[in-house]
Coordinates of all heavy atoms in Angstrom, one line a residue:
L9 N 0.9 -1.2 0.0 CA 0.0 0.0 0.0 C 0.9 1.2 0.0 O 1.8 1.4 0.9 CB -0.9 0.0 1.2 CG -1.8 1.2 1.4 CD1 -2.8 1.3 0.3 CD2 -2.5 1.1 2.7
T10 N 0.7 2.1 -1.0 CA 1.5 3.3 -1.1 C 0.6 4.5 -1.0 O -0.5 4.5 -1.6 CB 2.2 3.4 -2.5 OG1 3.1 2.2 -2.6 CG2 3.0 4.6 -2.6
R11 N 1.0 5.5 -0.2 CA 0.1 6.7 0.0 C 0.9 7.9 -0.5 O 2.1 8.0 -0.1 CB -0.2 6.8 1.5 CG -1.1 8.0 1.8 CD -1.6 7.9 3.2 NE -2.5 8.9 3.5 CZ -2.3 9.9 4.2 NH1 -1.1 10.1 4.8 NH2 -3.2 10.8 4.5
R12 N 0.3 8.7 -1.3 CA 0.9 9.9 -1.8 C 0.0 11.1 -1.4 O -1.1 11.2 -1.8 CB 1.1 9.9 -3.3 CG 1.5 11.2 -3.9 CD 2.8 11.2 -4.5 NE 3.0 12.3 -5.4 CZ 3.6 13.4 -5.1 NH1 4.0 13.6 -3.9 NH2 3.8 14.4 -6.0
V13 N 0.6 12.0 -0.6 CA -0.2 13.2 -0.2 C 0.0 14.3 -1.2 O 1.2 14.5 -1.7 CB 0.3 13.7 1.2 CG1 -0.4 15.0 1.6 CG2 0.1 12.6 2.2
H14 N -1.0 15.0 -1.6 CA -1.0 16.1 -2.5 C -2.0 17.1 -2.1 O -3.2 16.9 -2.1 CB -1.3 15.6 -4.0 CG -1.2 16.7 -5.0 ND1 0.1 17.1 -5.4 CD2 -2.1 17.4 -5.7 CE1 -0.1 18.1 -6.3 NE2 -1.4 18.2 -6.5
G15 N -1.5 18.3 -1.8 CA -2.4 19.4 -1.3 C -3.1 18.9 -0.1 O -2.5 18.4 0.9
R16 N -4.5 19.0 -0.1 CA -5.3 18.6 1.1 C -5.7 17.2 1.0 O -6.4 16.7 1.9 CB -6.5 19.5 1.1 CG -6.2 21.0 1.5 CD -7.3 21.9 1.6 NE -8.6 21.2 1.6 CZ -9.8 21.8 1.3 NH1 -9.8 23.0 1.0 NH2 -10.9 21.1 1.2
G17 N -5.4 16.5 -0.1 CA -5.8 15.1 -0.2 C -4.7 14.1 -0.3 O -3.5 14.4 -0.1
A18 N -5.0 12.9 -0.6 CA -4.0 11.8 -0.7 C -4.6 10.7 -1.6 O -5.8 10.6 -1.8 CB -3.8 11.2 0.7
M19 N -3.6 10.0 -2.2 CA -4.0 9.0 -3.1 C -3.4 7.7 -2.6 O -2.2 7.7 -2.1 CB -3.5 9.2 -4.5 CG -3.9 8.1 -5.5 SD -2.9 8.1 -7.0 CE -1.4 7.3 -6.5
L20 N -4.1 6.6 -2.7 CA -3.6 5.3 -2.2 C -3.5 4.4 -3.4 O -4.4 4.3 -4.2 CB -4.5 4.7 -1.1 CG -4.7 5.6 0.1 CD1 -5.8 5.0 1.0 CD2 -3.4 5.6 0.9
Y21 N -2.5 3.6 -3.4 CA -2.3 2.5 -4.4 C -2.1 1.2 -3.7 O -1.2 1.1 -2.9 CB -1.2 2.8 -5.4 CG -1.0 1.7 -6.4 CD1 -1.8 1.6 -7.5 CD2 0.1 0.8 -6.2 CE1 -1.6 0.6 -8.4 CE2 0.3 -0.2 -7.2 CZ -0.6 -0.3 -8.3 OH -0.4 -1.3 -9.2
L22 N -3.0 0.3 -4.0 CA -2.9 -1.0 -3.3 C -2.4 -2.1 -4.3 O -3.1 -2.3 -5.3 CB -4.3 -1.4 -2.7 CG -4.4 -2.8 -2.0 CD1 -3.5 -2.8 -0.8 CD2 -5.8 -3.0 -1.7
A23 N -1.3 -2.7 -4.0 CA -0.8 -3.8 -4.9 C -0.8 -5.1 -4.2 O 0.3 -5.7 -4.0 CB 0.6 -3.4 -5.4
A24 N -2.0 -5.5 -3.8 CA -2.1 -6.8 -3.1 C -3.5 -7.3 -3.3 O -4.4 -6.6 -3.7 CB -1.8 -6.6 -1.6
R25 N -3.7 -8.5 -2.9 CA -5.1 -9.1 -3.0 C -5.4 -9.6 -1.6 O -4.7 -10.4 -1.0 CB -5.1 -10.3 -3.9 CG -6.5 -10.9 -4.0 CD -6.6 -11.9 -5.1 NE -6.3 -11.4 -6.4 CZ -6.3 -12.1 -7.5 NH1 -6.4 -13.4 -7.4 NH2 -6.0 -11.5 -8.6
F26 N -6.5 -9.1 -1.0 CA -7.0 -9.5 0.3 C -8.2 -10.3 0.2 O -8.9 -10.3 -0.7 CB -7.4 -8.2 1.1 CG -6.2 -7.3 1.5 CD1 -5.8 -6.3 0.7 CD2 -5.5 -7.6 2.7 CE1 -4.8 -5.5 1.1 CE2 -4.5 -6.8 3.1 CZ -4.1 -5.7 2.3
D27 N -8.4 -11.1 1.2 CA -9.7 -11.9 1.3 C -10.7 -10.8 1.8 O -10.4 -9.7 2.1 CB -9.6 -13.0 2.3 CG -9.3 -12.7 3.7 OD1 -9.3 -11.5 4.1 OD2 -9.0 -13.6 4.5
G28 N -12.0 -11.2 1.9 CA -13.0 -10.3 2.3 C -12.8 -9.6 3.6 O -13.1 -8.4 3.8
D29 N -12.4 -10.4 4.6 CA -12.2 -9.9 6.0 C -11.0 -8.9 6.0 O -11.1 -7.8 6.6 CB -11.9 -11.0 7.0 CG -13.1 -11.8 7.2 OD1 -14.3 -11.4 7.0 OD2 -12.9 -13.0 7.7
G30 N -10.0 -9.2 5.3 CA -8.8 -8.3 5.3 C -9.1 -7.0 4.6 O -8.7 -5.9 5.0
L31 N -9.8 -7.1 3.4 CA -10.2 -5.9 2.7 C -11.2 -5.0 3.5 O -11.0 -3.8 3.6 CB -10.8 -6.2 1.3 CG -11.1 -5.1 0.4 CD1 -9.9 -4.2 0.1 CD2 -11.7 -5.6 -0.9
G32 N -12.1 -5.7 4.1 CA -13.1 -5.0 5.0 C -12.4 -4.2 6.1 O -12.7 -3.1 6.4
H33 N -11.4 -4.9 6.7 CA -10.6 -4.2 7.8 C -9.9 -3.0 7.3 O -9.9 -1.9 7.9 CB -9.7 -5.2 8.4 CG -8.8 -4.6 9.5 ND1 -9.2 -4.3 10.7 CD2 -7.5 -4.3 9.4 CE1 -8.2 -3.8 11.4 NE2 -7.2 -3.7 10.7
L34 N -9.2 -3.2 6.1 CA -8.5 -2.1 5.5 C -9.4 -0.9 5.2 O -9.1 0.3 5.5 CB -7.7 -2.5 4.3 CG -7.0 -1.4 3.5 CD1 -5.9 -0.8 4.4 CD2 -6.4 -2.0 2.2
L35 N -10.5 -1.2 4.6 CA -11.5 -0.1 4.2 C -12.1 0.6 5.4 O -12.2 1.8 5.4 CB -12.6 -0.7 3.3 CG -12.1 -1.1 1.9 CD1 -13.3 -1.8 1.1 CD2 -11.5 0.0 1.1
R36 N -12.4 -0.2 6.4 CA -12.9 0.5 7.6 C -11.8 1.4 8.2 O -12.2 2.5 8.7 CB -13.3 -0.6 8.7 CG -14.7 -1.2 8.4 CD -15.2 -2.1 9.5 NE -14.3 -3.2 9.7 CZ -14.4 -4.3 9.0 NH1 -15.3 -4.5 8.0 NH2 -13.6 -5.3 9.3
K37 N -10.6 1.0 8.2 CA -9.5 1.8 8.8 C -9.3 3.1 7.9 O -9.2 4.2 8.4 CB -8.2 1.0 8.8 CG -7.0 1.8 9.1 CD -6.8 2.1 10.6 CE -5.5 2.7 10.9 NZ -5.5 4.1 11.4
L38 N -9.3 2.9 6.6 CA -9.1 4.1 5.7 C -10.3 5.0 5.8 O -10.1 6.3 5.9 CB -9.0 3.6 4.3 CG -7.7 2.8 3.9 CD1 -7.8 2.3 2.5 CD2 -6.5 3.7 4.2
C39 N -11.5 4.5 5.9 CA -12.7 5.4 6.1 C -12.6 6.1 7.4 O -12.9 7.3 7.5 CB -14.0 4.6 6.0 SG -14.4 4.1 4.3
A40 N -12.2 5.5 8.5 CA -12.1 6.1 9.8 C -11.1 7.2 9.7 O -11.3 8.3 10.2 CB -11.8 5.1 10.9
D41 N -9.9 6.9 9.1 CA -8.9 8.0 9.0 C -9.3 9.2 8.2 O -8.9 10.3 8.5 CB -7.6 7.4 8.4 CG -6.9 6.4 9.3 OD1 -7.3 6.3 10.5 OD2 -6.0 5.7 8.8
A42 N -10.2 8.9 7.2 CA -10.7 10.0 6.3 C -11.9 10.7 6.9 O -12.4 11.7 6.3 CB -10.9 9.5 4.9
G43 N -12.5 10.2 8.0 CA -13.7 10.8 8.6 C -14.9 10.4 7.8 O -15.9 11.1 7.9
V44 N -14.9 9.3 7.1 CA -16.1 8.9 6.3 C -16.9 7.9 7.2 O -16.3 7.0 7.8 CB -15.6 8.1 5.0 CG1 -16.8 7.5 4.3 CG2 -14.8 9.0 4.1
A45 N -18.2 8.2 7.3 CA -19.0 7.4 8.2 C -20.4 7.2 7.5 O -20.8 8.1 6.7 CB -19.3 8.1 9.5
P46 N -21.1 6.1 7.7 CA -22.4 6.0 7.1 C -23.4 7.0 7.6 O -23.3 7.5 8.7 CB -22.8 4.6 7.5 CG -22.0 4.2 8.7 CD -20.7 5.0 8.6
C47 N -24.3 7.4 6.7 CA -25.3 8.4 7.1 C -26.3 7.8 8.0 O -26.9 8.6 8.8 CB -25.9 9.1 5.9 SG -26.9 8.0 4.9
L48 N -26.5 6.5 8.0 CA -27.4 5.8 8.9 C -26.8 4.5 9.3 O -27.0 3.5 8.6 CB -28.8 5.7 8.1 CG -30.0 5.2 9.0 CD1 -30.3 6.2 10.1 CD2 -31.2 5.1 8.1
P49 N -26.1 4.4 10.4 CA -25.5 3.2 10.8 C -26.5 2.1 11.1 O -27.7 2.4 11.6 CB -24.7 3.6 12.1 CG -24.7 5.0 12.1 CD -25.8 5.5 11.3
G50 N -26.2 0.9 10.9 CA -27.0 -0.3 11.3 C -28.1 -0.7 10.4 O -29.0 -1.4 10.7
I51 N -28.1 -0.1 9.1 CA -29.1 -0.5 8.2 C -28.9 -1.9 7.7 O -27.8 -2.4 7.7 CB -29.2 0.5 7.0 CG1 -27.9 0.5 6.2 CG2 -29.6 1.9 7.5 CD1 -28.0 1.3 4.9
P52 N -30.0 -2.6 7.3 CA -29.9 -4.0 6.8 C -29.0 -4.1 5.6 O -28.9 -3.1 4.8 CB -31.3 -4.4 6.5 CG -32.2 -3.5 7.3 CD -31.4 -2.2 7.4
R53 N -28.3 -5.2 5.5 CA -27.4 -5.5 4.3 C -28.2 -5.3 3.0 O -29.3 -5.8 2.9 CB -26.9 -6.9 4.4 CG -25.8 -7.2 3.4 CD -25.3 -8.6 3.6 NE -24.2 -8.8 2.7 CZ -22.9 -8.6 2.9 NH1 -22.5 -8.2 4.1 NH2 -22.0 -8.9 2.0
G54 N -27.7 -4.6 2.1 CA -28.3 -4.4 0.8 C -29.1 -3.1 0.6 O -29.4 -2.7 -0.5
V55 N -29.5 -2.5 1.7 CA -30.3 -1.3 1.7 C -29.4 -0.1 1.5 O -28.3 0.0 2.1 CB -31.1 -1.1 3.0 CG1 -31.8 0.2 3.0 CG2 -32.1 -2.2 3.1
F56 N -29.8 0.8 0.6 CA -29.0 2.0 0.3 C -29.6 3.1 1.0 O -30.8 3.3 1.0 CB -29.0 2.3 -1.2 CG -28.4 1.3 -2.1 CD1 -29.2 0.3 -2.7 CD2 -27.0 1.2 -2.2 CE1 -28.6 -0.6 -3.5 CE2 -26.5 0.2 -3.1 CZ -27.3 -0.7 -3.7
A57 N -28.7 3.9 1.7 CA -29.2 5.1 2.4 C -28.3 6.3 2.0 O -27.0 6.1 2.0 CB -29.1 4.9 3.9
R58 N -28.8 7.4 1.5 CA -28.1 8.5 1.1 C -28.7 9.8 1.7 O -30.0 9.9 1.7 CB -28.0 8.7 -0.4 CG -27.4 7.6 -1.1 CD -25.9 7.5 -0.8 NE -25.3 6.4 -1.6 CZ -25.1 5.2 -1.2 NH1 -25.5 4.8 0.0 NH2 -24.5 4.3 -2.0
E59 N -27.9 10.7 2.3 CA -28.5 11.9 2.9 C -28.0 13.1 2.0 O -26.9 13.2 1.6 CB -27.9 12.0 4.3 CG -28.5 13.2 5.0 CD -28.1 13.3 6.5 OE1 -27.9 12.3 7.1 OE2 -28.0 14.4 7.0
R60 N -28.9 14.0 1.8 CA -28.7 15.2 1.2 C -29.1 16.4 2.0 O -30.2 16.3 2.7 CB -29.4 15.3 -0.2 CG -28.9 14.2 -1.2 CD -27.5 14.4 -1.6 NE -27.1 13.4 -2.5 CZ -26.3 12.4 -2.2 NH1 -25.9 12.2 -1.0 NH2 -25.9 11.5 -3.2
R61 N -28.4 17.5 2.0 CA -28.8 18.6 2.9 C -29.0 19.9 2.2 O -28.4 20.1 1.2 CB -27.6 18.8 3.9 CG -27.4 17.7 4.9 CD -26.3 18.0 5.8 NE -26.0 16.8 6.6 CZ -25.6 16.9 7.8 NH1 -25.3 18.1 8.4 NH2 -25.3 15.8 8.5
Q62 N -30.0 20.6 2.7 CA -30.2 22.0 2.3 C -30.0 22.9 3.5 O -29.9 22.3 4.6 CB -31.6 22.2 1.8 CG -31.9 21.5 0.4 CD -33.3 21.7 -0.1 OE1 -34.2 22.2 0.6 NE2 -33.5 21.3 -1.4
P63 N -29.9 24.2 3.4 CA -29.7 25.0 4.6 C -30.7 24.8 5.7 O -30.3 24.8 6.9 CB -29.8 26.4 4.0 CG -29.4 26.3 2.6 CD -30.0 25.0 2.2
D64 N -31.9 24.5 5.4 CA -32.9 24.4 6.5 C -33.4 23.0 6.8 O -34.2 22.8 7.7 CB -34.1 25.3 6.2 CG -34.8 24.9 4.9 OD1 -34.1 24.2 4.0 OD2 -36.0 25.2 4.7
R65 N -33.0 22.0 5.9 CA -33.5 20.6 6.1 C -32.6 19.6 5.5 O -31.8 20.0 4.7 CB -35.0 20.5 5.6 CG -35.1 20.8 4.1 CD -36.5 20.8 3.7 NE -36.5 21.6 2.4 CZ -37.6 21.8 1.7 NH1 -38.7 21.4 2.2 NH2 -37.5 22.4 0.6
R66 N -32.8 18.4 5.9 CA -32.0 17.3 5.3 C -33.0 16.2 4.8 O -34.1 16.1 5.3 CB -31.1 16.7 6.3 CG -31.8 16.1 7.5 CD -30.8 15.6 8.5 NE -30.1 16.8 9.1 CZ -29.1 16.7 9.9 NH1 -28.6 15.6 10.2 NH2 -28.5 17.8 10.3
F67 N -32.6 15.5 3.8 CA -33.4 14.4 3.1 C -32.6 13.1 3.3 O -31.4 13.1 3.1 CB -33.6 14.7 1.7 CG -34.4 16.0 1.4 CD1 -33.8 17.2 1.3 CD2 -35.8 15.9 1.4 CE1 -34.6 18.3 1.1 CE2 -36.6 17.0 1.1 CZ -36.0 18.2 1.0
L68 N -33.3 12.1 3.6 CA -32.8 10.7 3.7 C -33.5 9.9 2.6 O -34.7 9.7 2.7 CB -33.0 10.1 5.1 CG -32.4 8.8 5.3 CD1 -30.9 8.8 5.1 CD2 -32.8 8.2 6.7
F69 N -32.7 9.4 1.7 CA -33.2 8.5 0.6 C -32.9 7.1 1.0 O -31.7 6.7 1.2 CB -32.6 8.9 -0.8 CG -32.9 10.3 -1.2 CD1 -32.1 11.3 -0.7 CD2 -33.9 10.5 -2.1 CE1 -32.4 12.6 -1.2 CE2 -34.2 11.8 -2.5 CZ -33.5 12.9 -2.0
L70 N -33.9 6.2 1.0 CA -33.7 4.8 1.4 C -34.3 3.9 0.3 O -35.4 4.2 -0.2 CB -34.5 4.5 2.7 CG -34.0 5.2 3.9 CD1 -35.0 5.0 5.1 CD2 -32.7 4.6 4.3
V71 N -33.5 3.0 -0.2 CA -33.9 2.1 -1.3 C -33.6 0.6 -0.8 O -32.5 0.4 -0.4 CB -33.1 2.4 -2.6 CG1 -33.5 1.4 -3.7 CG2 -33.4 3.8 -3.0
N72 N -34.6 -0.2 -1.0 CA -34.4 -1.7 -0.8 C -34.5 -2.4 -2.1 O -35.6 -2.6 -2.6 CB -35.4 -2.2 0.2 CG -35.3 -3.7 0.4 OD1 -34.3 -4.3 0.1 ND2 -36.3 -4.2 1.1
P73 N -33.4 -2.7 -2.8 CA -33.5 -3.4 -4.1 C -33.7 -4.9 -4.0 O -33.7 -5.6 -5.0 CB -32.1 -3.1 -4.7 CG -31.2 -3.0 -3.5 CD -32.0 -2.4 -2.4
G74 N -33.9 -5.4 -2.8 CA -34.1 -6.8 -2.6 C -35.6 -7.2 -2.6 O -36.5 -6.4 -2.5
D75 N -35.8 -8.5 -2.7 CA -37.2 -9.0 -2.7 C -37.9 -9.0 -1.3 O -39.1 -9.0 -1.2 CB -37.2 -10.5 -3.2 CG -36.8 -10.5 -4.7 OD1 -37.2 -9.6 -5.4 OD2 -36.2 -11.5 -5.1
E76 N -37.1 -9.1 -0.2 CA -37.6 -9.3 1.1 C -37.8 -7.9 1.8 O -37.0 -7.0 1.6 CB -36.6 -10.1 2.0 CG -36.4 -11.5 1.5 CD -37.6 -12.4 1.5 OE1 -38.3 -12.3 2.5 OE2 -37.8 -13.2 0.6
A77 N -38.9 -7.8 2.6 CA -39.1 -6.6 3.3 C -38.1 -6.5 4.5 O -37.6 -7.6 5.0 CB -40.5 -6.6 3.9
V78 N -37.7 -5.3 4.9 CA -36.8 -5.1 6.0 C -37.2 -4.0 6.9 O -38.1 -3.2 6.5 CB -35.3 -4.8 5.4 CG1 -34.7 -5.9 4.7 CG2 -35.4 -3.5 4.6
D79 N -36.7 -4.0 8.1 CA -37.0 -2.9 9.0 C -35.7 -2.1 9.1 O -34.6 -2.7 9.5 CB -37.4 -3.4 10.4 CG -38.8 -4.0 10.4 OD1 -39.6 -3.5 9.6 OD2 -39.1 -5.0 11.1
V80 N -35.8 -0.8 8.9 CA -34.6 0.0 8.9 C -34.6 0.8 10.2 O -35.6 1.6 10.4 CB -34.6 1.0 7.7 CG1 -33.4 1.9 7.7 CG2 -34.6 0.2 6.4
P81 N -33.6 0.7 11.0 CA -33.6 1.5 12.2 C -33.2 3.0 11.9 O -32.3 3.2 11.1 CB -32.5 0.8 13.1 CG -31.6 0.1 12.1 CD -32.5 -0.2 10.9
L82 N -33.9 3.9 12.5 CA -33.7 5.3 12.2 C -33.1 6.0 13.5 O -33.4 5.5 14.6 CB -35.0 6.0 11.9 CG -35.7 5.5 10.6 CD1 -37.1 6.2 10.5 CD2 -34.9 5.7 9.4
D83 N -32.3 7.0 13.2 CA -31.8 7.7 14.3 C -32.9 8.7 14.8 O -33.9 8.9 14.2 CB -30.5 8.4 14.0 CG -30.6 9.3 12.7 OD1 -31.7 9.6 12.3 OD2 -29.6 9.6 12.1
N84 N -32.6 9.4 15.8 CA -33.6 10.3 16.4 C -33.4 11.7 16.0 O -33.0 12.6 16.7 CB -33.5 10.2 18.0 CG -34.7 11.0 18.6 OD1 -35.7 11.3 18.0 ND2 -34.5 11.2 19.9
R85 N -33.7 12.0 14.7 CA -33.6 13.4 14.1 C -34.9 14.0 13.7 O -34.9 15.0 13.1 CB -32.7 13.3 12.9 CG -31.2 13.0 13.2 CD -30.4 13.3 12.1 NE -29.4 12.3 11.8 CZ -28.7 12.2 10.7 NH1 -28.7 13.2 9.8 NH2 -27.8 11.2 10.6
G86 N -36.0 13.4 14.1 CA -37.3 13.9 13.8 C -37.7 13.7 12.3 O -38.3 14.6 11.7
W87 N -37.4 12.5 11.8 CA -37.7 12.2 10.4 C -39.2 12.2 10.1 O -39.9 11.7 11.0 CB -37.1 10.9 10.0 CG -35.6 10.9 10.0 CD1 -34.8 10.2 10.8 CD2 -34.7 11.6 9.1 NE1 -33.5 10.4 10.5 CE2 -33.4 11.2 9.4 CE3 -34.9 12.4 8.0 CZ2 -32.3 11.7 8.7 CZ3 -33.8 12.9 7.3 CH2 -32.5 12.6 7.7
R88 N -39.6 12.7 9.0 CA -41.0 12.6 8.5 C -41.0 12.1 7.1 O -40.1 12.4 6.4 CB -41.7 14.0 8.6 CG -41.7 14.5 10.0 CD -42.4 15.9 10.1 NE -43.8 16.0 10.5 CZ -44.4 15.4 11.5 NH1 -43.7 14.5 12.2 NH2 -45.6 15.6 11.8
D89 N -42.1 11.4 6.7 CA -42.2 11.0 5.3 C -42.4 12.2 4.5 O -43.2 13.1 4.7 CB -43.4 10.1 5.2 CG -43.6 9.5 3.8 OD1 -44.0 10.2 2.9 OD2 -43.2 8.3 3.7
A90 N -41.6 12.3 3.4 CA -41.6 13.5 2.6 C -42.9 13.7 1.8 O -43.2 14.8 1.5 CB -40.4 13.5 1.6
L91 N -43.6 12.6 1.5 CA -44.8 12.7 0.8 C -46.0 12.9 1.7 O -46.8 13.8 1.4 CB -45.1 11.4 -0.1 CG -44.1 11.2 -1.2 CD1 -44.4 9.8 -1.9 CD2 -44.2 12.3 -2.2
S92 N -46.2 12.1 2.7 CA -47.3 12.3 3.6 C -47.2 13.2 4.7 O -48.2 13.7 5.3 CB -47.7 10.9 4.1 OG -46.8 10.4 5.1
G93 N -45.9 13.5 5.1 CA -45.7 14.3 6.3 C -45.8 13.6 7.6 O -45.6 14.1 8.7
A94 N -46.1 12.3 7.6 CA -46.3 11.5 8.8 C -44.9 11.3 9.5 O -43.9 11.1 8.8 CB -46.9 10.1 8.5
A95 N -45.0 11.4 10.8 CA -43.7 11.2 11.6 C -43.3 9.7 11.5 O -44.1 8.8 11.5 CB -44.0 11.5 13.0
A96 N -42.0 9.6 11.3 CA -41.4 8.2 11.3 C -41.0 7.8 12.7 O -40.6 8.7 13.5 CB -40.1 8.3 10.4
G97 N -41.1 6.6 13.0 CA -40.8 6.1 14.3 C -39.4 5.7 14.4 O -38.5 6.2 13.7
A98 N -39.1 4.8 15.4 CA -37.7 4.3 15.6 C -37.2 3.4 14.5 O -36.0 3.3 14.2 CB -37.6 3.6 16.9
T99 N -38.2 2.7 13.8 CA -37.8 1.9 12.6 C -38.8 2.2 11.5 O -39.9 2.7 11.7 CB -37.9 0.4 12.9 OG1 -39.2 0.1 13.3 CG2 -36.9 0.0 14.0
L100 N -38.3 1.9 10.3 CA -39.2 2.1 9.1 C -39.2 0.8 8.3 O -38.2 0.2 8.0 CB -38.5 3.2 8.2 CG -39.2 3.5 6.9 CD1 -40.5 4.2 7.1 CD2 -38.3 4.3 5.9
A101 N -40.5 0.4 8.1 CA -40.7 -0.9 7.3 C -40.5 -0.5 5.9 O -41.2 0.4 5.3 CB -42.1 -1.4 7.6
L102 N -39.6 -1.2 5.2 CA -39.3 -0.9 3.8 C -39.5 -2.3 3.1 O -38.8 -3.2 3.3 CB -37.9 -0.5 3.7 CG -37.4 0.3 2.4 CD1 -38.3 1.5 2.2 CD2 -36.0 0.7 2.5
G103 N -40.5 -2.3 2.2 CA -40.9 -3.5 1.5 C -39.8 -3.9 0.4 O -38.9 -3.1 0.2
G104 N -40.0 -5.0 -0.1 CA -39.1 -5.4 -1.2 C -39.3 -4.5 -2.4 O -40.4 -4.1 -2.7
W105 N -38.2 -4.1 -3.0 CA -38.2 -3.2 -4.2 C -38.9 -1.9 -3.8 O -39.6 -1.3 -4.6 CB -38.9 -3.8 -5.4 CG -38.1 -5.0 -5.8 CD1 -38.4 -6.3 -5.6 CD2 -36.9 -5.0 -6.6 NE1 -37.4 -7.1 -6.1 CE2 -36.5 -6.4 -6.8 CE3 -36.1 -4.0 -7.2 CZ2 -35.4 -6.7 -7.5 CZ3 -35.0 -4.4 -7.9 CH2 -34.7 -5.7 -8.1
D106 N -38.7 -1.4 -2.6 CA -39.4 -0.2 -2.1 C -38.3 0.9 -1.9 O -37.2 0.7 -1.8 CB -40.0 -0.5 -0.7 CG -41.1 0.5 -0.3 OD1 -41.4 1.4 -1.1 OD2 -41.6 0.3 0.8
A107 N -38.8 2.1 -1.9 CA -38.0 3.3 -1.7 C -38.8 4.3 -0.9 O -40.0 4.4 -1.1 CB -37.5 3.9 -3.0
R108 N -38.1 5.1 -0.1 CA -38.8 6.1 0.7 C -37.8 7.3 0.7 O -36.6 7.2 0.7 CB -39.0 5.7 2.1 CG -40.0 4.6 2.3 CD -41.5 5.0 2.1 NE -42.3 3.9 2.2 CZ -42.7 3.4 3.4 NH1 -42.3 3.9 4.5 NH2 -43.5 2.3 3.4
V109 N -38.4 8.5 0.9 CA -37.7 9.7 1.2 C -38.2 10.3 2.5 O -39.4 10.5 2.6 CB -37.9 10.7 0.0 CG1 -37.1 12.0 0.3 CG2 -37.4 10.1 -1.3
L110 N -37.3 10.6 3.4 CA -37.6 11.2 4.7 C -37.0 12.5 4.7 O -36.0 12.8 4.1 CB -37.1 10.3 5.8 CG -37.6 8.9 5.9 CD1 -37.0 8.1 7.0 CD2 -39.1 8.8 5.9
V111 N -37.6 13.4 5.5 CA -37.1 14.8 5.6 C -37.1 15.1 7.1 O -38.0 14.7 7.9 CB -38.0 15.8 4.8 CG1 -39.4 15.8 5.3 CG2 -37.4 17.2 4.8
A112 N -36.1 16.0 7.5 CA -36.0 16.4 8.9 C -35.4 17.8 8.9 O -34.6 18.1 8.0 CB -35.2 15.4 9.7
P113 N -35.7 18.6 9.9 CA -35.0 19.9 10.0 C -33.5 19.7 10.4 O -33.1 18.7 10.9 CB -35.7 20.6 11.2 CG -36.4 19.5 12.0 CD -36.6 18.4 11.0
V114 N -32.7 20.7 10.0 CA -31.3 20.6 10.3 C -31.0 20.9 11.7 O -31.7 21.6 12.4 CB -30.5 21.7 9.4 CG1 -29.1 21.8 9.8 CG2 -30.6 21.3 8.0

């Protein structure tokens, strides 16, 4: 693993092959060093979560591309369904091939 710092960033070059556990460990370490963290920790495997922010509110996009329904644990930020305005609870039921957009104040 070679690291080259340039300006405010850095580039890494990996010339090795890791098994899944080794690569996972390396990626977790690199993400922690770079301050990269999931926008919603603890989501079920395969579910996509992306957060976008505006000056006065934030949006959470959740997509379940799988066939099985899942329960997505939510953090306590006052999330509401962007379409209906209904308050979201501690978990959100996300059906198979389902997507939701939640909104909360900043």
Side-chain angles (χ1 to χ4, degrees):
L9 177 65
T10 301
R11 182 171 187 254
R12 166 115 163 97
V13 176
H14 183 73
R16 294 182 7 201
M19 183 197 78
L20 299 168
Y21 177 77
L22 178 64
R25 183 176 294 176
F26 289 94
D27 63 9
D29 291 338
L31 184 58
H33 177 74
L34 176 63
L35 291 175
R36 282 189 295 279
K37 171 76 171 120
L38 293 173
C39 286
D41 290 350
V44 175
C47 66
L48 191 61
I51 63 174
R53 186 177 185 96
V55 173
F56 297 99
R58 300 293 183 266
E59 185 176 327
R60 299 293 182 256
R61 295 178 185 213
Q62 291 183 346
D64 60 338
R65 59 189 162 179
R66 62 185 68 191
F67 295 90
L68 181 63
F69 298 84
L70 296 166
V71 178
N72 177 12
D75 293 326
E76 301 293 322
V78 294
D79 289 327
V80 178
L82 298 175
D83 53 16
N84 189 15
R85 292 196 225 173
W87 294 112
R88 297 181 103 42
D89 186 280
L91 291 176
S92 70
T99 61
L100 177 72
L102 200 58
W105 297 97
D106 197 4
R108 298 280 179 81
V109 179
L110 303 178
V111 64
V114 172

